Amino acid sequence: MRTWFQRLTDVSSLAQTEQTLKEALAELVQDLGFDCYAYLNVQPVRIFAVSNYAPEWQARYLTENYTKIDPVISMAKEQMKAFAWAAGPPRSLSKSLRRFYSEAGDFRIRSGISIPVRAAFGHMSMLTLASHKPSLCLDTDIDQIAAVTAVAQLHAKMEQQDAEPTASVEIDLKAKQALCLKWSAEGKTMKDIASIEGMSFATVNFHLNNARKALDAGSLAQATALATKLKLI
């Protein structure tokens, strides 16, 4: 696989357009004997995929918030190295995982290889090569350095091209939450916002706290910065 990862590095470096990169990825995956790929960017308040999985599965995976139960995501965050995976014996799985693997299997996703890499500000990106086979038998161990180098190059190219996700889930603030955050971004205090909008101080505090929780932010300043970055305000 080392040669394959070198090819991925080369393709990521040379691809001049987003479409060229996606087409090259699909071809490389087929050449290696896998069926499809998924590049997943996992951030605290935004998750998006660039993939040739079935659109129905991509949409279901994100809308059902399967990133919270997907063992591959958990393993990736814990190990931060390339690894092979396959669905475990049904009897050893929880009801939710049995359902998850069953649904994935309906879309011919039963085993694969995943390569996670650390991105900026504590985020994680990963490339998964998926197969319809119930298990994988690799001829050799995965070359960790070649794998991580290739996926890091792919991540950089995706960022550079601002690739259009094939599926994504983003936080959607309520109107009052966005309004109060916008005033906060303009430098207004909670007392100022209450006066401007004709709200009580407690109501402003309520909306800002809920906005902070929705954005999984540790402070109002972080919530304001995240909302601005994600163009929610």
Side-chain angles (χ1 to χ4, degrees):
M1 288 191 66
R2 184 171 186 173
T3 300
W4 187 88
F5 285 125
Q6 182 59 57
R7 290 174 63 195
L8 175 59
T9 300
D10 294 343
V11 163
S12 298
S13 176
L14 291 172
Q16 296 300 309
T17 68
E18 175 185 332
Q19 188 59 35
T20 300
L21 180 60
K22 291 177 179 177
E23 290 174 356
L25 268 173
E27 291 177 5
L28 281 174
V29 168
Q30 292 286 334
D31 289 348
L32 196 58
F34 288 85
D35 300 310
C36 45
Y37 74 88
Y39 165 84
L40 194 66
N41 190 301
V42 182
Q43 302 178 19
V45 295
R46 183 179 184 233
I47 298 173
F48 71 88
V50 175
S51 173
N52 63 349
Y53 285 178
E56 296 86 354
W57 173 243
Q58 293 188 55
R60 182 162 185 79
Y61 184 92
L62 292 181
T63 56
E64 291 293 325
N65 206 18
Y66 279 156
T67 54
K68 298 293 185 182
I69 66 169
D70 187 349
V72 174
I73 297 289
S74 300
M75 291 173 65
K77 290 180 176 179
E78 181 180 337
Q79 299 183 20
M80 288 307 299
K81 67 178 183 179
F83 60 94
W85 54 267
R91 290 183 179 180
S92 67
L93 303 175
S94 66
K95 183 178 179 180
S96 60
L97 278 181
R98 286 198 301 271
R99 174 188 166 198
F100 169 73
Y101 277 126
S102 175
E103 291 180 5
D106 290 341
F107 291 96
R108 294 171 56 83
I109 301 170
R110 300 185 178 92
S111 62
I113 293 173
S114 293
I115 308 102
V117 295
R118 296 191 187 281
F121 304 108
H123 301 161
M124 180 187 80
S125 291
M126 62 186 289
L127 176 67
T128 291
L129 315 178
S131 171
H132 68 280
K133 299 174 183 177
S135 62
L136 292 178
C137 183
L138 301 179
D139 295 333
T140 59
D141 291 336
I142 301 172
D143 186 316
Q144 294 293 331
I145 294 178
V148 171
T149 299
V151 176
Q153 180 74 35
L154 174 64
H155 170 76
K157 180 62 72 168
M158 290 285 188
E159 292 276 288
Q160 178 188 2
Q161 294 183 344
D162 194 19
E164 180 70 23
T166 51
S168 64
V169 170
E170 297 185 16
I171 296 297
D172 185 19
L173 294 176
K174 293 182 179 179
K176 293 293 186 181
Q177 295 170 358
L179 178 64
C180 291
L181 269 184
K182 180 60 177 177
W183 279 122
S184 180
E186 295 294 328
K188 301 301 182 182
T189 66
M190 284 193 284
K191 184 178 179 180
D192 294 334
I193 299 170
S195 176
I196 293 169
E197 294 297 332
M199 301 179 187
S200 69
F201 183 91
T203 299
V204 172
N205 186 49
F206 172 79
H207 289 313
L208 287 175
N209 270 334
N210 284 339
R212 180 181 56 77
K213 291 175 183 177
L215 291 164
D216 195 25
S219 66
L220 177 57
Q222 184 186 14
T224 301
L226 282 170
T228 302
K229 178 182 178 181
L230 296 173
K231 299 180 180 179
L232 297 174
I233 58 175

